[in-house]
Amino acid sequence: MKIKNLLPAFAIAAVVLFTGCSNDDDVVKNLSPTAIVSDPADNEIGVARNKVVSVNFSEEMDPSSINASTFLVKKAGVAIEGNVSYSGTTAKFISSTAFAAETLYTMTITTGAKNLEGTALANNMERSFTTNTNVAGLAVVDLGAAGNYVVLAKTAINNNPTSAITGKMGLSPAATSYITGLSLTDFTGYATSAQVTGQLFAADMASPTPINLTTAVQNMITAYNNAAGRLSPDFLELGTGNIGGKTLSAGLYKWTNTVTIPTDVTISGTADDVWIFQISGDLTMSAAVNITLEGGAKASNIFWQVAGEATFGTTSHFEGIILSMTGITFQTGASFNGRALAQTAVILDGNTVVQPQ
């Protein structure tokens, strides 16, 4: 009889024990995620001014909860503008402009960040870092013999008069007949035009022009591939492709789609700084928009690698070396300080084009 009376007690204990384990499992499942590693590390000094700030979480997070409201970088307590992205277990913040030199910044992940089950961080995560003096340097893109030309194309150079072009122009493998609107005067191995301060060359002209142009075009393609192949961008998908109104510091920029310039842009840096813009789609600049250089920045150190078409609106002004896999079009009255190097055609329409110093 005593044994029979004990059985219900054991059964009740077993049920309680089982139920307790189930609740413990729920507790484990509901543990708050944590931000476990940051780059830069907490209190790190000498951080590059174009540093991509990143945080790794203890588990996969809800991507919609990782945004500009939950991942902030602040200077003197004020949040700075930047682009926030998330993949795997890593969140990244890319500042819209270079960090100030020798300045203390704080990065914060707020409790608005949640895991896939909707569980938020228990507390805000905060880390601090201090920048160094200079932006990490990039090597220039070697243009080789392509750097001898202000305009170099493979299929055509078409001009709607009257343009004013300073520098040599080259076309290969297409022949002289594919240079239109420039009223050429032919000489041995080159031509001239009243619209060009410099000589014009095409693949069907006398030796050594054909081999020189072949080398220049090969070097142009090599330069394009070099610019496109640079790794570890400092700025990724800046402005989601709209860079109007921004001040662009030195560094490597990458976009996986089209880039637009609807309003004025400033490129700011020293004469030794280098900019490389990797654009997987088109580059489109609106009418009457200007790119301005400041701080000593040089057009010869600015490289725009464009997989699609590069189009510059009427009366706009552009700066830098354009390396285009497709066409380059300057609309009526646009001006340009740089080099237009296209693997197809360059189209001109009453433009001012000047080779960079």
Side-chain angles (χ1 to χ4, degrees):
M1 293 296 295
K2 290 182 178 178
I3 294 175
K4 291 175 75 175
N5 289 337
L6 286 172
L7 284 175
F10 280 118
I12 292 170
V15 171
V16 171
L17 181 61
F18 179 80
T19 303
C21 287
S22 177
N23 288 339
D24 287 345
D25 288 344
D26 289 340
V27 171
V28 171
K29 285 182 180 179
N30 291 324
L31 283 176
S32 295
T34 57
I36 54 176
V37 177
S38 66
D39 183 19
D42 195 21
N43 297 317
E44 184 173 340
I45 61 174
V47 173
R49 292 174 56 201
N50 53 3
K51 179 72 175 180
V52 176
V53 178
S54 66
V55 174
N56 288 342
F57 294 92
S58 58
E59 59 186 282
E60 191 171 352
M61 304 293 285
D62 176 2
S64 67
S65 74
I66 309 297
N67 52 53
S69 297
T70 60
F71 189 176
L72 305 105
V73 176
K74 298 180 179 181
K75 181 178 73 170
V78 178
I80 65 173
E81 181 182 353
N83 181 61
V84 175
S85 62
Y86 178 78
S87 178
T89 58
T90 302
K92 293 183 178 181
F93 178 95
I94 301 177
S95 177
S96 297
T97 59
F99 295 126
E102 298 181 326
T103 300
L104 177 68
Y105 287 85
T106 59
M107 62 175 119
T108 302
I109 301 290
T110 74
T111 54
K114 301 177 181 179
N115 64 13
L116 295 177
E117 285 73 40
T119 304
L121 269 67
N123 301 290
N124 287 353
M125 181 224 76
E126 290 194 355
R127 302 284 189 271
S128 298
F129 63 90
T130 302
T131 54
N132 65 13
T133 302
N134 299 311
V135 173
L138 276 176
V140 297
V141 176
D142 184 5
L143 300 178
N148 294 330
Y149 301 87
V150 67
V151 173
L152 180 63
K154 293 179 67 176
T155 62
I157 298 174
N158 298 328
N159 175 58
N160 186 29
T162 300
S163 292
I165 302 163
T166 302
K168 295 179 180 179
M169 304 177 69
L171 179 65
S172 178
T176 308
S177 59
Y178 289 90
I179 301 176
T180 63
L182 287 167
S183 301
L184 302 183
T185 300
D186 292 329
F187 291 88
T188 302
Y190 67 96
T192 62
S193 167
Q195 299 176 65
V196 181
T197 303
Q199 300 171 329
L200 298 93
F201 304 86
D204 60 339
M205 293 179 177
S207 180
T209 294
I211 188 62
N212 289 344
L213 287 172
T214 296
T215 299
V217 168
Q218 289 174 341
N219 291 169
M220 173 177 69
I221 294 170
T222 298
Y224 175 94
N225 292 336
N226 177 281
R230 298 294 181 95
L231 302 175
S232 303
D234 302 300
F235 304 93
L236 184 62
E237 311 295 355
L238 179 65
T240 62
N242 181 340
I243 60 173
K246 296 191 180 301
T247 297
L248 305 177
S249 58
L252 177 62
Y253 295 69
K254 182 178 179 65
W255 293 272
T256 56
N257 213 317
T258 292
V259 169
T260 59
I261 311 177
T263 56
D264 291 354
V265 166
T266 300
I267 296 180
S268 179
T270 71
D272 296 322
D273 286 333
V274 175
W275 293 256
I276 299 177
F277 301 101
Q278 299 173 326
I279 303 171
S280 297
D282 297 335
L283 171 62
T284 304
M285 188 173 191
S286 298
V289 169
N290 298 306
I291 287 183
T292 302
L293 307 186
E294 71 173 19
K298 297 167 60 176
S300 55
N301 287 341
I302 303 168
F303 302 89
W304 302 83
Q305 174 262 311
V306 186
E309 297 182 2
T311 304
F312 306 95
T314 58
T315 69
S316 63
H317 177 74
F318 193 75
E319 298 269 349
I321 313 298
I322 307 168
L323 292 158
S324 173
M325 183 177 283
T326 318
I328 300 173
T329 299
F330 296 98
Q331 296 178 347
T332 307
S335 60
F336 173 53
N337 178 34
R339 301 186 191 279
L341 310 177
Q343 294 181 40
T344 57
V346 174
I347 309 300
L348 302 164
D349 185 357
N351 307 122
T352 301
V353 178
V354 180
Q355 63 187 358
Q357 301 301 314

